[in-house]
Amino acid sequence: MAALALGLAIAPLPSNAADLVYDPTNFGQNVLTAARALQQVNNQIIILQNQTQMLLNQARNLERLPFSSLQAIEQSLARTQQLLTQAQRIAYDINQIDQTFQRLYPQGYTGSTSSQRLIGDAQERWQNSLAAHQDAMRVQAGIVQGLDITRTEANALISASQSATGSLQALQAGNQLIALQTKQLADLTALVAAQGRAQNLEGARSAANQTQAQQQLSRFLTSGQGYQAQTVQMFHQ
């Protein structure tokens, strides 16, 4: 066994073993080249990640808002408009207003105007004022009934804007909130118009009644007959 071990120890090396020489400079250059290649690979990976994130952000920015209140806003505006168009007797029409005022709200009555005409005009003016006040209350009731819808839509839009995932969703939510505010302004305008119509008709009625009263007083004073009591007959069945 000792002889075998000694033989192995002194056995000659392979012929190419003597050619393997360690070169520190070459080894360092190889390591540096491999490190640079690895860094380039890492840079490419980072670029791809950034591009992927950019595409995802663009997709989010182009994503539409899943909630829309435009239909509810349009329906509410249509109801308010319908209430205005249903105005009784004197509508929101310039030609009709001019014609009605010329007939029922004259600046003065002549002496030839019959008592029946005076009484009939006064009755129509009273009916116009009464109808206008009813119309104003109907508009008020319609707006009050729509407050719950307005509050619900506003809360939903605020929630949608806060949870928006992209610029398009945020923009759409903002636009719908502006539309909701516009609807509220339209309701307020309708309410002011209805109340103003009722007040104006009542004021015109008061002025026309004063004109009529002056004409009736003038007739009473110039008739020469004074006041005469009239006999009222009662019919009994």
Side-chain angles (χ1 to χ4, degrees):
M1 293 294 295
L4 180 59
L6 180 61
L8 291 175
I10 62 175
L13 294 174
S15 60
N16 60 350
D19 297 334
L20 296 177
V21 178
Y22 173 73
D23 187 353
T25 302
N26 186 37
F27 178 79
Q29 290 178 350
N30 291 337
V31 171
L32 183 59
T33 301
R36 289 175 178 175
L38 180 60
Q39 183 63 39
Q40 291 179 353
V41 172
N42 290 334
N43 291 338
Q44 292 294 330
I45 292 175
I46 293 175
I47 293 174
L48 291 175
Q49 290 176 342
N50 292 336
Q51 291 178 346
T52 302
Q53 187 63 41
M54 181 180 64
L55 292 175
L56 291 175
N57 292 335
Q58 290 178 351
R60 292 192 186 97
N61 288 333
L62 296 177
E63 187 175 354
R64 298 183 62 84
L65 191 69
F67 173 79
S68 176
S69 64
L70 295 180
Q71 184 177 2
I73 293 174
E74 291 176 355
Q75 291 176 351
S76 181
L77 286 173
R79 285 193 297 269
T80 302
Q81 180 66 28
Q82 184 179 11
L83 289 173
L84 293 177
T85 57
Q86 291 175 349
Q88 305 174 76
R89 302 182 69 84
I90 301 179
Y92 295 93
D93 181 86
I94 296 177
N95 293 330
Q96 184 183 4
I97 291 173
D98 291 342
Q99 294 174 3
T100 303
F101 266 69
Q102 184 177 3
R103 181 174 62 88
L104 295 178
Y105 304 87
Q107 295 182 359
Y109 284 99
T110 64
S112 61
T113 304
S114 64
S115 298
Q116 183 178 2
R117 163 76 185 281
L118 294 176
I119 296 174
D121 287 356
Q123 180 70 16
E124 284 197 58
R125 289 193 294 266
W126 174 77
Q127 292 176 350
N128 289 342
S129 295
L130 186 63
H133 281 89
Q134 182 182 9
D135 291 338
M137 293 187 65
R138 293 178 72 244
V139 174
Q140 292 173 0
I143 293 175
V144 171
Q145 290 176 357
L147 289 179
D148 288 338
I149 298 177
T150 300
R151 181 170 56 252
T152 300
E153 297 298 324
N155 291 337
L157 285 173
I158 292 174
S159 176
S161 64
Q162 291 177 344
S163 60
T165 59
S167 59
L168 180 59
Q169 287 190 358
L171 179 62
Q172 289 178 335
N175 290 340
Q176 292 186 42
L177 282 171
I178 294 174
L180 187 61
Q181 293 176 348
T182 303
K183 176 258 180 189
Q184 292 175 319
L185 290 176
D187 286 344
L188 180 60
T189 302
L191 179 60
V192 171
Q195 290 179 335
R197 173 174 175 267
Q199 294 173 357
N200 292 334
L201 284 176
E202 182 60 26
R205 184 178 80 90
S206 177
N209 287 348
Q210 290 180 1
T211 301
Q212 178 179 334
Q214 292 175 356
Q215 177 61 36
Q216 290 174 327
L217 178 62
S218 177
R219 289 184 184 184
F220 178 80
L221 295 177
T222 60
S223 63
Q225 297 179 357
Y227 174 75
Q228 296 179 354
Q230 297 180 354
T231 303
V232 179
Q233 296 181 354
M234 303 295 295
F235 296 90
H236 300 277
Q237 296 183 351

